[in-house]
Amino acid sequence: MAYLRPVNAPGRDEIEQLMREHGVELVRFETPDLNGVSRGKTVTADHFWGFVDNGLALVSDIYCWDHECWVATGTGFGEDMTFADLVMRPDLATFRVLPHVAGQARVICDMEYSDGRPVEASPRRVLRRVLDRATEQGLTALMQAEYEFYLLDAVTGLPPFPGTDITTTLTNQRVAALPEIVRHLQALGLRPRTLNQEWGPTQYELTFSPVEGLAGGDDNFTYKTYAKEIAMQHGLLASFMTKPFIDASGSSSHLHMSLFDDGRNIFWDAAQGDLTPEFGWAIGGLLEHAAALNAFLGPTVNCAKRYRKGTYAPASVTWGFENRSVAIRVKAGRGDATHIEDRLGSAASNPYLALAGMLVAMLDGIARQVEPPPPLQTNAYRLDDLVPLPRTLSASLAAFEADAALLAALDPEFLQAFVALKRHEIAKAQAANPRYGGDEWAEQVTEWERGQFLFLA
C-alpha cells in the first residue's frame, strides 16, 4: 500500500525529552466538537503527566454548542447531563511541539464519561468506529481531504487583494502567511503537497499526501485549526466558511478515498488491468446516499449555496471520469493510485464526520452491490434533467434522518446529538432570516451568515 505515514505513539521518555529540548511550558489538550471546532484546555507542563494518567475534565456542553456557543437542547449533553464534565484522554501519538508558538505543544484527546465509557458523540470516535467496521471486513482506508480557505483581512473580513488569478504562479507568493502555513504544518507532521490560488480572490487550496485511517481526520483537524492561528500571526483571517461571498467561489473540501485489502487496492484488478466491480459499487453507494451525506459534507445553513452550476462546484447527483462538473469524480491514476473523489464536501465540514460518512456510503454500496448509472461524459451544468443536490440544510437533514443504512452505521448517542444540533442551527437561521430556504435566500450571503461562520468556521 502506498503513501502511508507510520503513526507510533512516542513514549514518556521521548515526550519528556522533546519538552525539555523545546522548553515546553504549556500543552494544549484538544478535541473536536460536532462542528469540527477545536475545544479543550491548556495545561502547565508540570501537570501534564498527571492529566495524561488521570484525564482532564471538560464540560459536556461541547456537544450542544453551535459556532457561537449557543446551546442546543435535546442533544443528550449539557443540560441533559446537568452540565456534568466529561474526561479528556490524550492520544500520545498526536503529541506535537508547536513550531509557531514558542514553549507550547498540543495533543488530541479522546473523550470518556467519568466511568470510563467512550463518548460515542465524539467525532473522532465516530470515524474510529467506522474504520473499525472496515477493518472487520479486512479493509484499510487510505484517505485525504482538500480543504480550501480564504485569506482575508482580519478586521474587515474582505480579501486583501482583488482578482481571481486561479493557479497563477505569483499569486501563490504574494501573501507571506502562505509559505509559513505550509512550513509549520510540515513541522506538525503533516505532508503538504501542493498550494495554489483558487477561483476566488485570495482563496487557496492546500493538498496533502493521503494517509491511513484516523490520521485522515486528525491531519485535517490540525490543518484547519492551525492554519487559522498561523494566519492570525500575520494579521489575516483564514476562513473555512463555505460561501462567504455570493459572487465569488465557494470553498470546498474534496474527499479522496481508496480501500486496500492486504496491500491490494480493491478498486483495481492488476491481472486484468481494469477497474473492479467494487469500484463501481462504491460509487453507487456514494450516489445513493448523496443527499443524506450532505448533512455531513455541507453541515451549515450556508453550505448549500456553493452548489451552483458553472462554478466548478457540483449541482447534481452525478459521476464521471475526469469531469469537474459532477459530484463524484474519478481521476486518471490507476493501479494503487485508483481512488474516488467526492466533490460534495464543503470547507465548513468536520473532517472526521465527512470522511466517516463517505466511508459508510462506500462500504454500504459494496455490501449491497449498488450499480451506478453510466458515467456522465458531458458538462453536467448544461443538463436540466439530473437529480439536484439539496438546496438547504433542512433538506439534507431530512434525507439524513430517512437514510436507514446511514443511521444504522452510526451510534444512537451521536445521532441524537448531531440531529438536535442541526435542528437548532436551522431554527436559529429561520428566526434570523424570514426568507430562509427560498429563492432569495439561495441568491445571497447575508451578514447574519458571515457573522455566524466567517470568523468561526
Side-chain angles (χ1 to χ4, degrees), residues 178-239:
L178 290 169
E180 290 296 294
I181 289 172
V182 174
R183 186 178 303 116
H184 290 319
L185 291 177
Q186 284 179 313
L188 282 167
L190 279 64
R191 297 178 60 193
R193 294 199 301 185
T194 65
L195 170 71
N196 65 272
Q197 177 161 350
E198 275 295 329
W199 200 25
T202 59
Q203 182 195 34
Y204 297 91
E205 178 184 73
L206 188 57
T207 71
F208 299 85
S209 297
V211 291
E212 181 182 338
L214 194 60
D218 287 345
D219 280 7
N220 284 284
F221 173 63
T222 299
Y223 160 40
K224 292 185 73 177
T225 299
Y226 286 101
K228 295 175 186 178
E229 184 168 58
I230 296 162
M232 284 172 52
Q233 294 176 339
H234 292 264
L236 295 171
L237 166 68
S239 179

Side-chain angles (χ1 to χ4, degrees), residues 40-79:
K41 295 180 179 180
T42 300
V43 308
T44 56
D46 57 327
H47 287 86
F48 174 71
W49 289 111
F51 289 126
V52 169
D53 294 337
N54 301 309
L56 176 64
L58 184 66
V59 65
S60 62
D61 297 45
I62 65 169
Y63 298 119
C64 56
W65 285 337
D66 63 19
H67 283 88
E68 289 188 300
C69 294
W70 286 27
V71 177
T73 59
T75 62
F77 294 90
E79 182 179 1

Side-chain angles (χ1 to χ4, degrees), residues 277-293 317 319 328 340 342 344 357-373 403 405-406:
E278 288 85 354
F279 165 83
W281 298 335
I283 290 175
L286 287 170
L287 295 175
E288 185 173 295
H289 295 291
L293 283 180
V317 182
W319 80 283
I328 308 298
I340 297 170
D342 191 329
L344 297 182
M358 182 179 182
L359 181 52
V360 167
M362 288 169 56
L363 292 176
D364 182 60
I366 293 169
R368 296 190 295 110
Q369 300 184 6
V370 178
E371 293 289 349
D403 192 311
L406 194 57

Side-chain angles (χ1 to χ4, degrees), residues 411-431:
D411 190 272
E413 177 183 288
F414 164 75
L415 292 173
Q416 178 182 346
F418 179 78
V419 170
L421 178 61
K422 293 301 131 180
R423 287 175 176 166
H424 158 88
E425 292 173 354
I426 292 166
K428 188 176 177 182
Q430 290 172 328

